[in-house]
Amino acid sequence: MRRKLTSKYIILGMSLLMLAVLFSTPAVFAQKKSEVVFWTSFSGQPERGVMDEMVARFCKLHPEIKVKKVVVPGTETEVAKLLTSLAAGVGPDVYHLDRFTVCQRAAAGVLQPLDKYIKGIGQEIEKAYLDFAWKECVWQDKVWALPWDTDVRALYYRKDFFREAGLNPPRTIAELDECAEKLTIRKNGKLERMGFVPWWNQGWHYTWGWAFGGEFYDEKAQKITANDPKIVESFAWQKSYCDKYGMKALEAFSAAYETQTESLNPFVSGKVAMIVTGDWFIAFMKQFGPDVDYGIIPIPRPAEYKEPISWSGGWSMVIPIGAKNPEGAAEFIKWYCGPEANEIYARGTYHLPVSKKAFEVTSLREEPRYKIFLDLLPYSRCRPVIPVGALYWDELTAARDYVIHGKKTPKQALDDVVARVQAELDKILGKK
Amino acid sequence: MSVSRKGVRFLKILKAQVITRLILIAVCIPFLLPFFWMLSTALKTLPQTVAYPPVLIPNPIVWDNFREAVLTIPFFTYFKNTSIYVGFSILGTIISCPLVAYGLSIVRWPGRDSLLILILATMMIPFPVTMIPLFVLFSKLGWINSYKPLIIPTFFGTPFFIFLLRQFFMTIPPSLSDAARIDGASELTIFTRVILPLCKPALGVVALFQFLGSWNNFLGPLIYLMEESKYPLSLGLQDYRSTHTVQWNLFMAASTLVVIPTVVIFFLTQRRIIEGIHLTGIKE
Amino acid sequence: MTPKKRKDIITGLLFVSPWLIGFALFSFYPIIASLYYSLTQFVGIGTPKWIGFTNYPSLIRDELFWISLYNTIYYLVFAVPIGFAIALGLALIMNFNVKEKSIYRTILYFPSILPVYASAFIWLWMFNPQLGIINALLDKLGIQGPGWIGSPEWSKPSIILMAQWGAGGSAIIFLAALQDVPRELYEAAELDGAGRWYKFRHITLPSISPVILFHIIMAVNGAFQLFDAPYIMTGGGPANSTLFYTLYLYRNAFQYSKMGYASAMAWILFILNLGTAIVIFKTSLRWVYYRGG
């Protein structure tokens, strides 16, 4: 008994001692003056290694600036970590931000405008970048980010299946529908292979809305135009696949293969003959489907449109508010988003460069499959630059789900989207 | 014994041993699937993790994945960080929660039940809206970039465990503590010598749950740590994710290594801790 | 007040003091802050703009508020009883006295310790409508498996089902409680000729009723605050069928920069959650049996 008591006192004593120690050494987190703290969520290879290389190269060129790269993993980085840190004034100098959200974060007061730190804004800097990328960095006449990389989308198709069926790759929606039908295989009433499922992978609402010639936002009037008749048509077209192939069967088929993000990719395994996805898929195919015979063509459009279309996302570099070393940060991102850095990154990771100079001479042009993506970039667009971008995206996704599962008609679903998003947009714009 | 009685006994044994085992095995099968899949993925080559039809038994079996998983990322740094964090948080919980629970159960005073409700109420505010003020608070204390925001609060009690222990304490017959009081024992003595020893199973459960909670905690370390060298395993495992792909085999190999200590600790302790002292003659 | 009562109150407060101090240090400010935010328009950082109670009627008019509330209550109504039954059932099984019970217990407990990302991936694979084990087994029984997580009708049941694999955790708590039931009670009942069901209903259940109360209150709280599973697995879809309340709250707080709005959501949830807990507590006086206290 006495032993037990002593041991309890020992534990108590130890913990009090430890508490005293913990409380008595306030390790105040402080940043060195010449340091530039850079946060990114890129935690895996090869991106991480290449970025280390790039940071090292910058430090060699600019020995007076010490860049400290910190990998902050997870998809919640941007919201959870960045916001909490900014609220307490311990945020980074440079942040790696999804370009699509730049406008939203700028409107929320999370970022600093770059105009005063980066020389050349208002003159040559914007001309240095592809148009759609630069658009996403500007909000209310101020520049909030520099574009860092980009991506673009096209239609991949299985040459072996097409040869088998004696088909040519589709250029128009009508041809697409026809190929899809001929390449679909049913067995015992179940779908064995689908020729095409419009909403898989990158076949998003934006993809088809634009392919069909619709516009999602009227910049001049600041109006959300999700119920543009062409967009309604694109939704109805997607729904037609459900009607043709059976909603339940397609639902099961979709749920079975579509959600296999990395494993069991349906294009590799031959579950689907065509898929809309991005340039990054080339690296994926090299690794997981090296023996698959496939081709890439622009996304099919209704016959009346002759020009190809695509859209792009990508990343950017920003300086959040409260940065301790904005000048150093500006020097860093100017180089990091410049042509030399773009090319190092492209060569190391096969991601597309976004600065015009790099775009023209990139070594990616020598890679056989990349040509089509590089050719598509001039025709690519970006998503509407509005402070409710995330909301708009979520609403469109829900609307598409409602339509596909037969819960709302396309017009009704999109009218609802307009109502909700417009209300939010007006609120934010109204107060500015 | 006559033949028929032997027969009856045999059937009874059969029922007890075989049928219970059948039930156990049947129920265990679906629960085994996750572990089996995890281990199988950990032993595959990367292309096989995405192969279709899904490969159940890897071929070849790549034991090397474990070595590679541990070498590709600073696995042991992460492991060390996690262990320190987990160790101290268990200590804090084991010290504070029984004390508070005691005050809500064995000591009889008015208002204690309302206090219990208040304690529970503090768990009911969803985390997104308290995250930022809490972070600002910790930064004013100078605790950012350390594990202090995660460890020190455990020394002040956690509602989940306080409530759990309180319920366990309430099952102890009051005659025990009353008798000790009559003998002149102080409350603290009653606490340490009478109540705690009786609640070993519950304490074991609390330690186990705190272990798990800290071991798998992602969001906490994410927002409070500012340097990679301080990351725990939960953050470190993200090193296997790239922008569009995940190295599933290494990821699962590392995850298996992460999960194994938990399983081992559970296996070793569950018998000792969960099986209560078969109370010798506690009379109602 | 009698001196004894005063002494008891002081003793009680002393024992509870760690929590009281912790509350004052760590909980009080964030909770009050969130209440304040609910009365403002706030992006999360910077200065909130006072708008009084405006957020609350806005919520009432918000269609997604009702959808997310419905989803959460749906989950609660099914997951809590099912979870309870399975956890208790598992505990009873874990209690079987066979030599290798440690192995069985470890197996049953294992899924509940997997980190969320790992278990999410595993469940998605198992519940895959065309490739997964679950539908394959159903097929053998001649039943056409549904679309599970990809179908708006089956997505919530899928999540409820997947949550049950974590029942091992709760089962351990029940197991500890089962171990505590004095054997003499069973022996005495057996002498009187009691059968298994009688023993279960009149000895086991009342004896572990305090822990049952714990489980139910925690399960309800967990159901109200369900976040990880939908966040990682479904993102709220398809067609908002898995947009649970806390997920929608999170989105408003961080994705849409509407921290004030989200705080209002938080306080509505708080009232519902606390109210339910208090009701459960009040009714518990009738069926929970405390031998002590």
Side-chain angles (χ1 to χ4, degrees):
Chain A
M1 262 302 194
R2 196 163 294 163
R3 250 189 311 153
K4 262 201 197 150
L5 207 58
T6 328
S7 69
K8 292 238 162 39
Y9 278 140
I10 290 180
I11 294 182
L12 204 64
M14 265 174 49
S15 9
L16 285 173
L17 182 68
M18 193 210 68
L19 267 177
V21 166
L22 280 176
F23 265 101
S24 71
T25 51
V28 178
F29 175 63
Q31 184 185 321
K32 296 195 205 63
K33 225 343 171 133
S34 62
E35 235 181 25
V36 167
V37 174
F38 166 36
W39 285 3
T40 173
S41 63
F42 280 30
S43 52
Q45 301 296 349
E47 289 86 1
R48 186 182 185 147
V50 176
M51 282 174 70
D52 284 335
E53 260 178 59
M54 291 161 73
V55 169
R57 173 110 182 101
F58 175 80
C59 289
K60 219 198 272 155
L61 292 172
H62 294 259
E64 74 282 7
I65 301 180
K66 217 174 146 284
V67 174
K68 183 169 162 203
K69 172 163 86 82
V70 181
V71 171
V72 186
T75 48
E76 299 103 285
T77 321
E78 181 182 322
V79 295
K81 186 155 180 81
L82 184 63
L83 286 183
T84 53
S85 303
L86 290 180
V90 292
D93 298 300
V94 178
Y95 190 78
H96 199 191
L97 186 69
D98 189 341
R99 204 164 58 230
F100 170 53
T101 58
V102 165
C103 173
Q104 192 160 318
R105 301 299 172 202
V110 169
L111 309 176
Q112 292 194 48
L114 300 177
D115 308 69
K116 60 176 170 178
Y117 296 118
I118 300 190
K119 290 189 269 296
I121 286 192
Q123 295 136 46
E124 75 270 10
I125 295 256
E126 38 263 62
K127 303 201 197 79
Y129 291 101
L130 298 171
D131 300 326
F132 59 83
W134 187 254
K135 262 185 89 177
E136 281 184 312
C137 300
V138 179
W139 168 247
Q140 296 198 327
D141 296 322
K142 293 209 193 70
V143 177
W144 302 90
L146 285 188
W148 185 68
D149 79 341
T150 192
D151 50 43
V152 74
R153 289 140 184 81
L155 183 76
Y156 287 59
Y157 69 99
R158 295 279 302 237
K159 283 192 176 157
D160 45 357
F161 296 161
F162 271 72
R163 257 197 304 272
E164 235 173 57
L167 292 168
N168 282 325
R171 302 225 162 266
T172 67
I173 296 284
E175 285 169 20
L176 178 61
D177 289 342
E178 209 190 301
C179 291
E181 193 167 343
K182 296 221 171 97
L183 292 164
T184 299
I185 300 178
R186 276 194 187 75
K187 217 199 274 184
N188 307 335
K190 254 213 221 156
L191 288 166
E192 260 299 302
R193 177 175 89 197
M194 278 297 291
F196 185 59
V197 186
W199 54 86
W200 279 20
N201 210 310
Q202 294 299 311
W204 287 105
H205 26 68
Y206 277 116
T207 311
W208 299 116
W210 279 321
F212 275 65
E215 282 302 331
F216 284 86
Y217 182 60
D218 181 349
E219 271 178 57
K220 278 217 195 59
Q222 294 185 325
K223 288 263 172 274
I224 303 287
T225 55
N227 50 5
D228 179 329
K230 303 248 169 73
I231 300 180
V232 175
E233 200 189 319
S234 73
F235 270 54
W237 171 74
Q238 293 181 62
K239 173 78 164 53
S240 72
Y241 272 72
C242 285
D243 300 332
K244 200 192 296 190
Y245 298 98
M247 175 162 70
K248 288 266 176 267
L250 206 48
E251 221 176 62
F253 189 80
S254 268
Y257 302 109
E258 174 192 12
T259 55
Q260 302 318 308
T261 43
E262 283 89 5
S263 61
L264 304 173
N265 185 285
F267 188 69
V268 174
S269 60
K271 281 295 165 185
V272 75
M274 299 178 274
I275 196 159
V276 173
T277 180
D279 55 281
W280 59 84
F281 203 64
I282 296 178
F284 182 89
M285 287 302 282
K286 233 192 230 172
Q287 196 171 10
F288 298 120
D291 303 321
V292 174
D293 188 10
Y294 71 96
I296 312 175
I297 51 173
I299 299 169
R301 307 185 67 179
E304 63 258 36
Y305 298 104
K306 301 297 173 205
E307 263 184 14
I309 193 147
S310 190
W311 64 273
S312 301
W315 292 84
S316 69
M317 305 284 273
V318 297
I319 302 182
I321 54 165
K324 306 276 189 315
N325 189 357
E327 295 84 11
E331 271 306 309
F332 176 59
I333 61 180
K334 198 164 163 196
W335 182 86
Y336 206 70
C337 297
E340 185 190 352
N342 262 210
E343 185 50 26
I344 300 179
Y345 190 65
R347 240 182 299 133
T349 64
Y350 293 99
H351 284 288
L352 295 174
V354 72
S355 82
K356 280 197 185 139
K357 229 201 256 172
F359 161 70
E360 272 147 32
V361 302
T362 177
S363 60
L364 285 180
R365 290 198 177 272
E366 286 141 42
E367 294 281 336
R369 296 208 187 274
Y370 278 88
K371 179 166 188 322
I372 178 152
F373 289 111
L374 292 165
D375 289 341
L376 279 173
L377 276 177
Y379 296 99
S380 188
R381 11 192 346 172
C382 66
R383 285 160 283 183
V385 184
I386 48 176
V388 290
L391 176 68
Y392 200 11
W393 178 280
D394 288 339
E395 286 290 321
L396 285 170
T397 307
R400 183 206 56 194
D401 284 349
Y402 284 126
V403 168
I404 289 177
H405 289 103
K407 301 215 179 289
K408 285 189 192 176
T409 67
K411 177 106 180 47
Q412 190 192 339
L414 289 166
D415 281 341
D416 291 343
V417 171
V418 171
R420 278 184 70 93
V421 182
Q422 189 69 56
E424 283 304 316
L425 181 63
D426 289 339
K427 239 194 260 172
I428 296 186
L429 291 180
K431 96 174 161 147
K432 291 234 182 236
Chain B
M1 253 193 260
S2 75
V3 176
S4 63
R5 271 229 214 119
K6 265 208 194 134
V8 167
R9 254 198 70 169
F10 177 69
L11 277 176
K12 255 216 176 120
I13 295 178
L14 182 73
K15 198 168 115 168
Q17 295 293 312
V18 174
I19 296 193
T20 46
R21 279 207 172 79
L22 279 178
I23 297 178
L24 276 167
I25 294 178
V27 175
C28 277
I29 290 180
F31 282 78
L32 257 181
L33 279 173
F35 179 69
F36 178 72
W37 181 87
M38 218 170 123
L39 194 57
S40 133
T41 305
L43 293 171
K44 287 181 185 159
T45 58
L46 191 54
Q48 272 202 342
T49 61
V50 301
Y52 177 78
V55 177
L56 283 172
I57 313 263
N59 177 19
I61 297 190
V62 187
W63 292 100
D64 202 49
N65 279 343
F66 286 100
R67 193 185 62 97
E68 206 182 320
V70 162
L71 294 177
T72 318
I73 66 172
F75 188 85
F76 291 108
T77 309
Y78 297 147
F79 192 90
K80 180 191 75 161
N81 291 335
T82 304
S83 309
I84 297 179
Y85 164 40
V86 167
F88 277 114
S89 48
I90 291 181
L91 188 65
T93 305
I94 288 291
I95 290 178
S96 60
C97 294
L99 280 170
V100 179
Y102 185 87
L104 293 171
S105 53
I106 310 292
V107 182
R108 297 182 208 108
W109 52 286
R112 69 177 193 176
D113 285 345
S114 311
L115 186 61
L116 176 65
I117 304 262
L118 175 64
I119 294 178
L120 290 181
T122 61
M123 283 193 319
M124 295 182 179
I125 312 258
F127 73 93
V129 302
T130 51
M131 224 160 81
I132 292 185
L134 192 60
F135 187 91
V136 172
L137 185 99
F138 284 130
S139 96
K140 294 242 181 347
L141 286 170
W143 289 1
I144 302 299
N145 200 26
S146 74
Y147 281 92
K148 287 182 198 164
L150 301 168
I151 292 178
I152 296 188
T154 64
F155 282 82
F156 294 90
T158 310
F160 184 90
F161 298 126
I162 292 174
F163 186 26
L164 178 64
L165 288 173
R166 183 249 187 199
Q167 297 301 92
F168 270 91
F169 287 179
M170 293 287 266
T171 65
I172 297 174
S175 46
L176 287 173
S177 47
D178 285 339
R181 279 193 200 110
I182 291 175
D183 280 347
S186 75
E187 289 296 338
L188 196 57
T189 318
I190 301 178
F191 174 63
T192 52
R193 291 210 205 166
V194 178
I195 304 296
L196 276 188
L198 287 177
C199 281
K200 281 227 186 82
L203 290 177
V205 167
V206 164
L208 195 61
F209 272 66
Q210 179 62 53
F211 174 83
L212 270 182
S214 310
W215 190 261
N216 288 333
N217 191 5
F218 182 87
L219 199 58
L222 178 72
I223 62 176
Y224 292 117
L225 298 174
M226 302 293 188
E227 278 167 72
E228 291 173 45
S229 56
K230 301 195 173 164
Y231 286 175
L233 278 168
S234 52
L235 293 187
L237 287 183
Q238 298 294 320
D239 288 356
Y240 298 115
R241 301 187 84 103
S242 320
T243 40
H244 294 289
T245 54
V246 178
Q247 289 172 283
W248 284 110
N249 52 347
L250 297 182
F251 194 28
M252 284 301 148
S255 297
T256 309
L257 290 176
V258 165
V259 153
I260 281 179
T262 328
V263 176
V264 167
I265 290 182
F266 175 76
F267 187 80
L268 292 177
T269 57
Q270 54 88 25
R271 188 69 88 82
R272 201 109 41 94
I273 287 178
I274 288 175
E275 235 143 88
I277 303 163
H278 277 293
L279 308 174
T280 46
I282 301 249
K283 295 287 189 221
E284 286 287 292
Chain C
M1 200 185 294
T2 65
K4 177 170 190 314
K5 211 180 199 184
R6 191 175 303 145
K7 176 170 171 288
D8 280 342
I9 294 182
I10 294 180
T11 313
L13 284 175
L14 270 177
F15 271 98
V16 172
S17 58
W19 184 83
L20 289 171
I21 298 175
F23 175 75
L25 283 178
F26 304 123
S27 307
F28 184 70
Y29 167 62
I31 291 179
I32 297 296
S34 71
L35 183 59
Y36 169 62
Y37 293 154
S38 75
L39 303 170
T40 66
Q41 197 175 20
F42 185 39
V43 298
I45 59 172
T47 322
K49 178 171 148 200
W50 176 268
I51 57 172
F53 282 99
T54 319
N55 280 328
Y56 292 92
S58 299
L59 275 174
I60 310 273
R61 282 195 297 267
D62 182 356
E63 182 192 35
L64 286 182
F65 167 76
W66 294 106
I67 292 181
S68 64
L69 191 59
Y70 167 75
N71 287 337
T72 294
I73 294 192
Y74 180 111
Y75 178 83
L76 199 154
V77 161
F78 287 105
V80 171
I82 293 178
F84 168 63
I86 293 189
L88 189 56
L90 280 183
L92 290 170
I93 294 182
M94 285 182 182
N95 211 14
F96 281 168
N97 209 352
V98 289
K99 220 174 353 147
E100 66 284 8
K101 59 186 162 185
S102 304
I103 300 183
Y104 296 119
R105 285 180 187 171
T106 311
I107 291 177
L108 291 174
Y109 177 63
F110 177 82
S112 65
I113 66 177
L114 286 178
V116 194
Y117 58 81
S119 45
F121 190 80
I122 298 173
W123 307 152
L124 284 176
W125 183 78
M126 289 206 295
F127 275 83
N128 189 301
Q130 224 131 318
L131 306 168
I133 303 275
I134 309 286
N135 269 16
L137 288 174
L138 286 176
D139 215 28
K140 290 247 177 2
L141 296 173
I143 307 174
Q144 156 113 47
W148 294 118
I149 206 95
S151 138
E153 290 81 24
W154 284 93
S155 54
K156 283 192 281 288
S158 302
I159 293 193
I160 293 175
L161 220 57
M162 291 180 199
Q164 302 317 317
W165 262 263
S170 312
I172 294 296
I173 296 181
F174 280 130
L175 183 64
L178 286 174
Q179 302 283 354
D180 258 0
V181 182
R183 230 190 241 150
E184 306 82 54
L185 292 178
Y186 289 122
E187 286 163 8
E190 269 161 28
L191 283 178
D192 283 346
R196 193 172 304 156
W197 175 248
Y198 181 91
K199 280 191 284 183
F200 182 70
R201 198 170 170 276
H202 292 274
I203 299 178
T204 314
L205 280 185
S207 301
I208 64 172
S209 57
V211 176
I212 294 182
L213 177 65
F214 168 82
H215 173 95
I216 293 183
I217 296 219
M218 287 308 166
V220 167
N221 179 54
F224 271 119
Q225 298 200 48
L226 179 69
F227 177 76
D228 285 339
Y231 181 73
I232 292 183
M233 289 199 279
T234 64
N240 288 330
S241 57
T242 59
L243 186 68
F244 292 103
Y245 196 87
T246 307
L247 180 61
Y248 185 47
L249 196 158
Y250 179 89
R251 263 198 207 160
N252 275 300
F254 293 118
Q255 295 291 13
Y256 306 156
S257 304
K258 292 169 75 174
M259 184 61 83
Y261 197 65
S263 303
M265 282 188 77
W267 279 85
I268 292 182
L269 184 74
F270 172 72
I271 292 173
L272 288 173
N273 198 355
L274 186 62
T276 313
I278 292 180
V279 166
I280 296 178
F281 254 110
K282 289 277 189 287
T283 62
S284 79
L285 295 171
R286 243 188 278 164
W287 54 271
V288 175
Y289 168 65
Y290 294 115
R291 267 180 288 150

